[in-house]
Amino acid sequence: MTTYLQQAQTGVWDVHASFLPAIYFRGVNLAGGVAVLLPPQPVDCGAAARVLDGLDGLILTGGKDVDPGRYGQQPHPTTDEPDHVRDAWELTLLDEALRRGVPVLGICRGAQVLNVALGGTLIQHLPDVLGHTHHQKGDAVFGTSAVRIEPGTRLADLIGKTSDAQCYHHQAIDRVGDGLIVSARDDDGVIEAVELDRACHPDQWVVAVQWHPEERLDDLRLFAAMVAAAGQYGTERAST
């Protein structure tokens, strides 16, 4: 699981630190998996390969906006200051994971990283398009969106036709990246999930949601599916 890298306070300490809210890896634990935290750091393809040698799956977590330069745009006034180290770290890990067929789950920012990695673009500020701030109310208050799942997708197999999603994002996927298909939208038409097209990649499990499944640990279906896919990948890798 990828992590944040920013200023953090704990006790008397106020330091630059790598961290991840525990609710993320509790989802993995409750689903039967073991979480390994991957702090942002300078990396090359060889180092990313060695990291993934010891992992059976990759979860790209939430966080700051992706650098708009990665998809050929100038930053919107509301777009976060880029975290170049984290962007490079996650994109390098993701590239190697996709090359190997490692299962990938993207959460919020993670969905945007996946889309940008495959040549897609983002809407930098949804209120400019929609005229409201429902998707990110601010002050750590999640909005609940009803999402419609596209039939025939992996996501539909997991959670059915509809779901209530806990959202906290002011950006969203615009042009969909190469090889991805849209697997969910909300009532505003905003893309809320994408996945690698299994018609072209039947053996590669890559699903990304714009919402925060870790905020609803009474529903572990996404985490359970990720853990199951990782377990299968690990078993197949051990047998080769």
Side-chain angles (χ1 to χ4, degrees):
M1 306 187 79
T2 58
T3 76
Y4 296 71
L5 179 63
Q6 60 192 65
Q7 204 70 14
Q9 291 183 317
T10 176
V12 298
W13 305 104
D14 184 357
V15 296
H16 204 54
S18 171
F19 66 94
L20 186 70
I23 197 168
Y24 278 100
F25 52 85
R26 282 189 61 213
V28 172
N29 297 158
L30 290 170
V34 176
V36 176
L37 301 188
L38 303 172
Q41 54 200 290
V43 70
D44 58 25
C45 295
R50 291 194 295 276
V51 169
L52 287 169
D53 283 343
L55 302 175
D56 297 325
L58 177 65
I59 298 180
L60 302 172
T61 61
K64 286 187 174 184
D65 300 329
V66 180
D67 179 6
R70 293 279 184 177
Y71 49 95
Q73 294 183 13
Q74 294 297 314
H76 187 279
T78 64
T79 296
D80 295 329
E81 187 71 23
D83 184 339
H84 297 297
V85 173
R86 184 174 181 184
D87 286 352
W89 169 245
E90 293 188 352
L91 288 164
T92 304
L93 286 174
L94 177 59
D95 182 66
E96 181 65 20
L98 294 174
R99 188 188 69 79
R100 292 175 176 225
V102 173
V104 176
L105 173 62
I107 296 175
C108 198
R109 168 189 156 92
Q112 296 169 5
V113 169
L114 174 65
N115 192 61
V116 169
L118 294 177
T121 62
L122 304 178
I123 299 169
Q124 289 194 54
H125 194 53
L126 279 171
D128 287 352
V129 178
L130 302 178
H132 63 73
T133 59
H134 173 75
H135 293 85
Q136 189 182 79
K137 295 182 176 182
D139 296 326
V141 176
F142 286 82
T144 301
S145 296
V147 297
R148 301 185 306 277
I149 315 300
E150 292 294 328
T153 59
R154 290 189 187 276
L155 195 60
D157 292 346
L158 295 177
I159 62 177
K161 295 180 179 179
T162 62
S163 182
D164 288 336
Q166 298 297 106
C167 293
Y168 199 86
H169 60 96
H170 80 112
Q171 299 193 339
I173 290 170
D174 189 7
R175 187 180 73 245
V176 177
D178 297 338
L180 296 175
I181 58 171
V182 175
S183 46
R185 295 180 185 269
D186 69 8
D187 290 340
D188 288 314
V190 174
I191 295 172
E192 287 288 346
V194 291
E195 61 187 61
L196 203 60
D197 187 356
R198 65 176 170 184
C200 302
H201 306 274
D203 300 322
Q204 194 162 3
W205 197 96
V206 178
V207 175
V209 297
Q210 186 64 78
W211 67 86
H212 285 268
E214 77 280 2
E215 291 296 319
R216 288 286 308 276
L217 293 184
D218 57 330
D219 182 354
L220 291 171
R221 288 175 293 181
L222 274 173
F223 286 111
M226 175 61 183
V227 170
Q232 181 177 345
Y233 173 83
T235 299
E236 292 173 353
R237 182 174 61 170
S239 66
T240 58

